[in-house]
Amino acid sequence: METKRRRMTRAERERQMLDVAEEVFASQGYGAVSMEEIAVRVGLSKPMLYEYFGSKEGLLLATIARARRELRETTERAATEGETAEDKLYNGYLAYFRFNEAHRRSWLVLLQEPVLLGGAAGEIEATRRQQTDLIVAQMEWLAPDRPRRDLEAYAEIIVGACERLALWRMRNPDVAPEEAARQMMDVTWRGLSAYGT
């Protein structure tokens, strides 16, 4: 007896499309991918893909926005765990590098894509600002008397360092997220903790 397949909800279908798009953009690069190819891999018509996202850029923007939301949830939750400021900072770094590892190929595309459309570049910058804001909030707790301008500058430095370390890990895949988090702590904790004393 043949079982009837359950029809996907709109949210499930959208998640499936974003999963496939992330994989294809990561493996081939944004410029080399067509909406037709993504539609075929998902198993639906190209007009359906356009109905959901409007354009290939719209699909890329939705992929980045989803990653940004998931990264925020992951790092924000991790940064609240732990007894001390040092624990919280380490946990935030660890969550970032674990997230990076789980989305390794797409992360590389986002950080190295030479010519991204304006909207996508804006989404990537919004992701950086989001992480900067999370780090500033942590540092305000650690160094409440430090000028906010300094904290924002330190947070920008940390975000840039994390990105570069993530790219270095791509060339050194044996470096575990725990090691990368420790390396970030080695560089940042001594300077940051000086303001808490």
Side-chain angles (χ1 to χ4, degrees):
M1 184 174 182
E2 201 175 302
T3 57
K4 195 173 182 180
R5 281 181 29 183
R6 184 180 70 84
R7 187 180 171 124
M8 280 187 172
T9 66
R10 182 175 177 87
E12 289 170 333
R13 176 65 75 189
E14 186 173 315
R15 188 169 38 255
Q16 179 191 33
M17 288 186 259
L18 291 173
D19 288 345
V20 170
E22 181 180 291
E23 179 184 329
V24 175
F25 289 149
S27 62
Q28 298 178 34
Y30 174 77
V33 176
S34 70
M35 289 290 268
E36 179 73 34
E37 180 177 354
I38 294 169
V40 167
R41 288 187 183 219
V42 173
L44 50 79
S45 68
K46 187 165 73 169
M48 180 68 79
L49 202 56
Y50 278 101
E51 182 182 320
Y52 274 76
F53 300 104
S55 66
K56 187 168 88 165
E57 182 183 12
L59 180 57
L60 177 65
L61 293 175
T63 302
I64 297 168
R66 179 179 72 164
R68 182 175 75 233
R69 184 177 62 254
E70 291 173 356
L71 177 62
R72 180 181 181 94
E73 291 166 1
T74 299
T75 53
E76 196 167 37
R77 185 173 49 252
T80 63
E81 298 168 356
E83 297 291 318
T84 66
E86 185 175 7
D87 292 340
K88 293 174 190 301
L89 186 61
Y90 174 82
N91 290 339
Y93 288 151
L94 183 58
Y96 174 88
F97 289 113
R98 283 182 174 163
F99 184 89
N100 165 261
E101 184 158 85
H103 301 272
R104 186 174 279 245
R105 292 191 313 162
S106 56
W107 202 263
L108 181 64
V109 170
L110 294 178
L111 293 179
Q112 293 188 327
E113 188 77 45
V115 182
L116 283 172
L117 299 173
E123 284 292 319
I124 292 168
E125 185 55 32
T127 303
R128 290 180 178 121
R129 283 194 311 270
Q130 159 191 292
Q131 294 307 112
T132 298
D133 291 344
L134 287 171
I135 294 166
V136 167
Q138 278 192 292
M139 289 191 294
E140 283 176 331
W141 181 76
L142 178 65
D145 298 330
R146 201 77 189 154
R148 181 163 176 97
R149 184 180 177 104
D150 287 353
L151 299 181
E152 288 174 357
Y154 304 152
E156 291 285 347
I157 292 165
I158 289 170
V159 167
C162 283
E163 284 187 12
R164 292 306 308 170
L165 188 55
L167 290 171
W168 177 77
R169 285 187 65 227
M170 297 294 286
R171 298 188 305 274
N172 296 276
D174 59 316
V175 176
E178 293 78 8
E179 184 178 354
R182 180 193 53 75
Q183 290 162 340
M184 280 301 300
M185 289 297 289
D186 289 346
V187 170
T188 60
W189 177 247
R190 181 173 294 153
L192 293 174
S193 62
Y195 297 123
T197 59

